[in-house]
Amino acid sequence: MVKKRIKGLVLAGLISVTTIVEMPREAFAMENGNNISTERRDELKNLKVFSSFDEGYYAGETHFIIEEKLRDGKEARRYETTIIYDKLVKKFHQLRDHPQAQNSYYKVDSYTYSMNQNVSASVTFNASYGPFSVSVGALNASSGYIINVPGGKGVKSKPTIRGDVYEVKTKTNEISSSGAVIGTTYKTFNRARNVQGYYRIIN
């Protein structure tokens, strides 16, 4: 069965979904597959294909296909994704402590982050937006950029990850192999860009 979502909207602290219509996936695809125009087929054919939303988003695309591989030789599911808006909501926001920081605090003059080696960290803003991963320069690398700590060794500090937070709203059409729309969902969530290593002072 496939759920055809007429409209779903997810906001911070609020989840609302309107009418959901269920019908067999195969029947829906067959019913609508023959109604696809040549222009529509060409449009879908020319879209770039990615394996995840983040892959397409960070590639700078606003209209693309996500192809979800399935096991057991089943046909991959395809999702036509359109970014409706992508707006800055927080600049230089502290996302979380650096994942390589093992101590509860440090007394140092500065932190050095690699420009060549990255580490990934999961970030969660709140339950509505859900987790996602960001990459930041490795800590204490031999070369890279240096972030000085005001007060230096006289204060307690900890290396962190900061970045610009964007609120993203998408429209996603699940499409059959013929290009027929099986179901549509709307989502709102956060993503971070311009991520870098930074610090926070511990009182």
Side-chain angles (χ1 to χ4, degrees):
M1 300 292 284
V2 59
K3 293 184 178 181
K4 184 179 180 185
R5 194 185 301 276
I6 305 302
K7 184 176 181 181
L9 182 62
V10 182
L11 296 174
L14 173 66
I15 300 179
S16 64
V17 177
T18 58
T19 309
I20 296 178
V21 179
E22 293 191 1
M23 66 184 302
R25 179 182 301 275
E26 296 81 4
F28 188 88
M30 291 179 62
E31 178 183 332
N32 293 275
N34 295 327
N35 298 325
I36 307 300
S37 67
T38 301
E39 292 79 8
R40 173 61 173 163
R41 292 180 190 275
D42 289 341
E43 178 189 22
L44 293 174
K45 183 179 180 181
N46 291 328
L47 293 178
K48 292 184 179 180
V49 179
F50 298 94
S51 60
S52 67
F53 172 81
D54 281 354
E55 186 179 329
Y57 176 76
Y58 289 117
E61 300 295 325
T62 58
H63 189 197
F64 52 91
I65 298 291
I66 299 173
E67 192 167 86
E68 184 181 277
K69 301 293 185 181
L70 300 180
R71 298 179 180 178
D72 303 324
K74 294 182 180 180
E75 182 179 347
R77 290 188 178 181
R78 290 163 57 85
Y79 301 89
E80 177 194 7
T81 301
T82 303
I83 295 178
I84 299 173
Y85 66 71
D86 181 21
K87 63 182 181 181
L88 177 67
V89 293
K90 295 179 181 178
K91 195 167 181 64
F92 303 136
H93 181 64
Q94 294 277 19
L95 301 176
R96 57 155 292 175
D97 288 342
H98 196 286
Q100 291 181 335
Q102 301 299 319
N103 296 352
S104 57
Y105 67 86
Y106 299 83
K107 289 187 174 183
V108 296
D109 293 320
S110 64
Y111 293 102
T112 301
Y113 297 94
S114 171
M115 296 180 65
N116 302 315
Q117 301 176 21
N118 289 330
V119 293
S120 294
S122 178
V123 175
T124 303
F125 284 93
N126 55 52
S128 297
Y129 288 128
F132 63 94
S133 293
V134 296
S135 292
V136 67
L139 181 62
N140 296 331
S142 58
S143 63
Y145 60 95
I146 298 174
I147 301 294
N148 293 319
V149 179
K153 296 177 182 178
V155 298
K156 297 178 181 179
S157 65
K158 197 164 187 178
T160 62
I161 300 172
R162 76 172 186 177
D164 299 335
V165 179
Y166 285 78
E167 183 180 281
V168 184
K169 182 176 182 179
T170 61
K171 173 185 176 182
T172 301
N173 293 325
E174 183 179 356
I175 54 178
S176 68
S177 57
S178 65
V181 176
I182 299 172
T184 300
T185 60
Y186 292 84
K187 295 181 180 179
T188 305
F189 47 86
N190 280 351
R191 284 298 180 267
R193 299 210 298 263
N194 304 320
V195 176
Q196 64 176 182
Y198 203 61
Y199 70 90
R200 65 183 176 91
I201 301 297
I202 299 176
N203 297 322

